[in-house]
Amino acid sequence: MNLSANTMKRLLNLYPPYLGAGIRVKQISSDWSEAVVSLKVRWYNRNAVGTHFGGSIYSMIDPHLMLMLMNRLGKDYRVWDQAAEIDYIKATRKPLTARISLSQQQIDEIRRQTANGEKYLPEFEVLLYDSDQTLIARVKKTLYVRKALKPSA
């Protein structure tokens, strides 16, 4: 990908599924190490009991780790979402925020694990909090990472 973090933020905020879910990308750091995403309850994104729809809560996280990792590792790596698990801890009508981070230690470990061309399935945890800093959900994402095969000459 050759998009800047700021351009990606703008595109994601115009992405129809994000618009429809009421999700806003507040920040993507220029080095792709952190993203901040928010969600407010609106009439069009509530569930049957008036709280955040679980699909919207998960969607807050969905593309970010993959996009961030793709940009941190560069074009020599293939990155895909492999699996996800979400634990809904507490229902709320308050605004939600997720801070999604990739540390340099995680990047170094991924490079080490894939150095010989093997696939690696790193796991990441993202916590979602409401405006009172109450934990609302915990998301575990597993990504597939492998060094790209070089074309033979």
Side-chain angles (χ1 to χ4, degrees):
M1 300 183 75
N2 278 339
L3 298 176
S4 72
N6 201 37
T7 299
M8 179 59 74
K9 177 186 132 184
R10 281 192 226 116
L11 289 173
L12 285 169
N13 283 328
L14 294 173
Y15 184 50
Y18 264 29
L19 285 172
I23 296 167
R24 294 289 301 163
V25 179
K26 298 289 195 176
Q27 174 203 339
I28 301 175
S29 62
S30 61
D31 67 354
W32 294 89
S33 63
E34 185 175 72
V36 178
V37 184
S38 67
L39 174 65
K40 292 181 181 178
V41 170
R42 303 282 189 222
W43 65 268
Y44 55 84
N45 68 2
R46 287 187 272 218
N47 63 20
V49 293
T51 62
H52 286 285
F53 173 63
S56 295
I57 292 172
Y58 173 71
S59 292
M60 288 177 68
I61 310 304
D62 187 32
H64 300 291
L65 281 163
M66 184 183 82
L67 293 171
M68 291 165 65
L69 197 53
M70 289 169 65
N71 281 281
R72 293 285 303 272
L73 292 172
K75 61 182 168 77
D76 292 337
Y77 289 82
R78 297 294 171 252
V79 180
W80 293 279
D81 283 325
Q82 178 75 26
E85 180 180 317
I86 187 165
D87 182 15
Y88 298 104
I89 296 166
K90 183 177 188 283
T92 187
R93 291 181 177 92
K94 296 176 182 171
L96 301 182
T97 300
R99 186 171 301 276
I100 306 160
S101 299
L102 284 174
S103 71
Q104 188 57 50
Q105 292 167 315
Q106 290 170 310
I107 299 301
D108 293 344
E109 178 65 11
I110 291 167
R111 288 184 191 280
R112 188 180 72 71
Q113 292 286 341
T114 59
N116 292 327
E118 295 295 317
K119 73 176 180 182
Y120 180 52
L121 303 175
E123 293 182 353
F124 304 90
E125 182 178 77
V126 179
L127 304 176
L128 290 89
Y129 293 93
D130 70 10
S131 56
D132 292 333
Q133 298 305 304
T134 301
L135 182 63
I136 301 302
R138 179 180 294 113
V139 177
K140 184 174 94 174
K141 292 275 292 193
T142 303
L143 274 63
Y144 170 102
V145 182
R146 183 186 298 260
K147 276 187 104 171
L149 299 174
K150 302 286 184 197
S152 53

